Amino acid sequence: MKKITILDTTLRDGEQTPGLVLSASGKLEIAQRLERLGIDIIEAGFPASSQEESDAVRQIAASSLACVAALCRASEGDVIKGWEAIQAAESPRLHVFIATSELHMAHKLHMGKSEVLDAIRSSVSLAASLASDVEFSCEDATRSDPDFLEEAFAAAASCGASTLNIADTVGFIMPEEFERLVERMVASFGSSAAIGVHCHNDLGLAVANTLAAIRAGASHIEGTINGIGERAGNCPLEEAIMALEVRKDYYQVQTNINTKAIYRTSQRVAELTGIPIPAVKAVIGENVFAHESGIHQHGVLSNPLTYEIMTPQSIGKDRSTIILGKLSGRHAFSDRLEQLGYKLNENMLNKAFDEFKAIASKKSVIADEDLEAIVWSQMVSPLEEYKLETFQINSSNIMKAMASITISCNGRHITEAATGSGPIDAAYNAIMKIVGGEWPLESYSLKAVTEGMDALGEATVKVRHDGRLNTGKGLSTDIIEASILAYINAINRTLAVRNETTGC
Ligand code: KIV
Ligand code: ZN
């Protein structure tokens, strides 16, 4: 069967999701998970955008066995910076792009067609002199004149690009139209280059367009985990992959993907990025294998195929049969974590186990979701400048809520009190007094991670500081405590990502 190559751009296009900030350790973990998932090419970033980005790409390139790609505009400076960041990779790829639509050339690049072709020739030639693997993308290809698109691809192919990628940058094209466009490019270049597609989801057609392209002969597809990305995001790879898997009879292609790693990868991407997965999201949403109506339940009990076209196991969504609780020891705890795919170092394991014990003393059964949340809370905040010590809240419906919070910072305990319109507002005002500066709350949500009266509550907040949004999460059986922890977590993450300290 024909092989489809998959490029994941969660760490590059996905990172352009508004409000998302990933720490260097978060990026590295995602890269490792993508490798385990069987992704062929990990697009690690856009090194010319900042030194921080370039360092993160370098770190991923040095530690990954998969092919690692760096995105570069069609300019000498970008290609050199891209190469510097990925040259240590086992198999480095330079990914050069330039826009080819009239709209982009006139209003963004201020270049004519011949200047664009010159830029393609010089940048792709330079890239090919450095790396043996060069991809070239036409940005806004689907709104470009197809004749000019062919000219651009011909120029790139003659200068050494071996993958020619058609980007539906604004999610504009319809599947049938895309099929014809891809067919044309496959007919012109398919014997000497891989034809790739990169689809955005503005009209919800990214997966349909990607699949249409495969039918038309494309052999390379791009997307992100959970479909994250700018605006409506990119093609959600888990959906495209499972469509190819479930309908192998129809597509007759194969991929390198270990589908059993999909669920865990998707969950971790959601946790590390702070972008939640809707319950009704295809393939990975919580409701995908849940059945509410009696008729469906009856059908699934007698034969799951009645209402399930894939099994939860096929995406690695397996239920644990081991029940962890307050009597479980460190060994059972670390064993279960390993089964879930987490291998923690000694220090992290100790911290995670302490948290597990604290939660197990309040909650009778600890489910896998609880364990994941515990591990996550240890991993997302490697640099904890502020730590909650105690809190006391008075809240009633006859006067303003009042909070007194004690936080430790560098061994020093600081206590402040504040009032607010409710208990969480009062607590956040007290924390702001301790930390100093403006940390306004932009969004707040609370969900039960597990079921039952003693469910763990997970609070997620988005806090703005110096113009940037940062996400924080907090976990506790007490929802006020979870909310306070989430706010402190957002502050710690902001400081960690910016490598700052408030000097408390
Ligand atoms: O959407 C787009 O056009 C891109 C290219 C840089 C491939 O992300
Ligand atoms: Zn894109």
Side-chain angles (χ1 to χ4, degrees), residues 12-13 71 95 97 137 139-140 165 167-169 198 200 222:
R12 198 276 300 168
D13 224 337
L71 185 73
H95 179 185
F97 79 99
S137 290
E139 189 188 14
D140 207 18
N165 190 36
D168 185 26
T169 305
H198 175 108
H200 278 264
E222 305 192 347

Side-chain angles (χ1 to χ4, degrees), residues 112-124:
K113 283 183 175 172
S114 64
E115 286 169 290
V116 166
L117 291 175
D118 285 346
I120 295 172
R121 285 191 200 98
S122 57
S123 58
V124 173

